[in-house]
Amino acid sequence: MPETWNPTGLNLKGPDGADGAAGTAGPAGPTGPTGATGATGAAGATGPQGPAGPSVWGGITGSLSTQADLQAALNQKLNASRLTVGTTAPPSPALNDLWVDTN
């Protein structure tokens, strides 16, 4: 506290007293920002190679001509050049042509 003087010039302030007891601690402040993410660590070792074996669905051997069931299924597929999609029928339809009317 600053010294206090009266009008006659005498100091009215007495000696400073002892410090008071410490007060209780206040609440914790907010958490600060998170720091930067560190660099990615080195990649781990590659695991061992698995055992050799057939495909999950099985192996195919031979030529297409010896796969009678597969060849029969392929023969039944639509010939895309004979497909017409639209609002107008094909100009000269033939056997096995397919027209998808979008009307």
Side-chain angles (χ1 to χ4, degrees):
M1 175 174 216
E3 293 185 2
T4 305
W5 297 87
N6 72 10
T8 61
L10 298 175
N11 186 350
L12 300 178
K13 178 182 177 277
D16 288 340
D19 288 342
T24 57
T31 302
T34 301
T37 301
T40 301
T46 301
Q49 182 174 349
S55 303
V56 173
W57 48 270
I60 296 178
T61 60
S63 64
L64 184 59
S65 62
T66 63
Q67 306 291 328
D69 57 341
L70 178 58
Q71 185 63 58
L74 290 172
N75 291 343
Q76 296 299 314
K77 296 292 179 185
L78 173 69
N79 180 347
S81 67
R82 311 223 27 197
L83 171 66
T84 302
V85 178
T87 58
T88 308
S92 52
L95 183 64
N96 294 324
D97 280 355
L98 177 63
W99 170 39
V100 179
D101 187 356
T102 57
N103 282 324

